[in-house]
Amino acid sequence: EIVLTQSPATLSLSPGERATLSCRASQSVDRYLAWFQQKPGQAPRLLMYDISTRATGIPARFSGSGSGTDFTLTISSLEPEDFALYYCQQRTNWPRTSFGQGTKLEIK
Amino acid sequence: EVQLLESGGGLVQPGGSLRLSCAASGFTFSDYAINWVRQSPGKGLEWVATIGSGPGYPYYADSVKGRSTISRDNSRNTLYLQIDGLRADDTAVYYCSRDIGGRPDYWGQGTLVTVSS
């Protein structure tokens, strides 16, 4: 089983700042890495897939990068609605997929 | 508009059974694989099962394999998940999600399953 480890667990920033969230895989996931956003009481929302492709309707301030085992989600300038939980997901052995434990992005 | 609506959750005693449903609309249901993913209170996301539109399905996570059955009725645009022998660690919000090659692109709002005596 591929284990995804996200860091930091909590990230405290102010609106307008740049956010950098990390996801490390226990073995290579090739390009099959996605990011999700989840707000309290809501379902996860697909943000990014195949490392750097934004899902439909996702603003350009969200970007993804990385390769192999190390990946990053960057939010260039935080908007108030961006404060949420973020999960990475790998699908290398689809449909057996796994998620990271999440990073909470909170307002400083 | 793609919509997924789960139902069937509730309070169940340990060892009991539950059948969850997921009603889909806004897309050609039979063309897509569909997943169940669960989230325990205060915890992260765990893939549970997937059923596809073609042969070679379904697949289950080890945590539910042998006591769960995922099925679909394409005539009713509905997905099901039957879980038997429920345990306390099955307590979670269960989401269904449409799948495109491993990318769950649309999710329902979830249904809460609580296993407790």
Side-chain angles (χ1 to χ4, degrees):
Chain A
E1 179 190 351
I2 297 175
V3 177
L4 300 178
T5 302
Q6 291 186 240
S7 61
T10 303
L11 184 58
S12 300
L13 293 170
S14 300
E17 289 192 293
R18 181 184 187 92
T20 303
L21 288 67
S22 296
C23 177
R24 174 166 289 180
S26 58
Q27 63 190 77
S28 176
V29 298
D30 198 358
R31 63 183 176 88
Y32 303 121
L33 195 285
W35 291 91
F36 293 83
Q37 177 193 68
Q38 187 178 32
K39 297 181 179 179
Q42 297 185 16
R45 174 193 182 194
L46 178 64
L47 292 177
M48 199 82 56
Y49 61 92
D50 293 350
I51 301 176
S52 59
T53 303
R54 281 189 298 275
T56 304
I58 303 303
R61 64 180 181 272
F62 290 89
S63 64
S65 63
S67 64
T69 61
D70 290 290
F71 303 91
T72 300
L73 175 71
T74 301
I75 310 171
S76 59
S77 179
L78 285 166
E79 297 288 340
E81 62 267 27
D82 297 336
F83 292 91
L85 269 167
Y86 290 84
Y87 294 96
C88 57
Q89 178 235 4
Q90 65 80 23
R91 60 182 177 95
T92 304
N93 299 319
W94 183 79
R96 301 183 188 284
T97 185
S98 56
F99 296 85
Q101 82 281 14
T103 289
K104 181 181 181 181
L105 179 56
E106 65 176 23
I107 299 177
K108 188 173 181 180
Chain B
E1 179 190 5
V2 172
Q3 289 192 332
L4 299 162
L5 182 63
E6 302 91 340
S7 61
L11 176 62
V12 186
Q13 291 193 338
S17 299
L18 210 56
R19 189 194 198 201
L20 306 180
S21 300
C22 170
S25 60
F27 64 101
T28 304
F29 181 72
S30 58
D31 285 350
Y32 290 84
I34 309 290
N35 308 304
W36 285 101
V37 176
R38 68 186 182 184
Q39 186 169 34
S40 301
K43 300 283 183 62
L45 300 164
E46 179 190 14
W47 170 73
V48 175
T50 297
I51 187 166
S53 57
Y57 292 97
Y59 295 91
Y60 300 93
D62 290 343
S63 57
V64 300
K65 194 171 185 178
R67 57 191 186 94
S68 296
T69 303
I70 186 173
S71 61
R72 65 192 298 163
D73 184 341
N74 290 338
S75 68
R76 295 177 182 270
N77 290 344
T78 302
L79 172 78
Y80 303 99
L81 180 69
Q82 171 87 22
I83 311 178
D84 302 316
L86 282 160
R87 313 183 300 224
D89 61 1
D90 293 317
T91 294
V93 175
Y94 285 73
Y95 296 100
C96 61
S97 62
R98 191 179 80 165
D99 192 285
I100 298 181
R103 300 194 302 272
D105 63 345
Y106 286 93
W107 298 60
Q109 286 305 300
T111 186
L112 175 62
V113 173
T114 303
V115 183
S116 175
S117 55

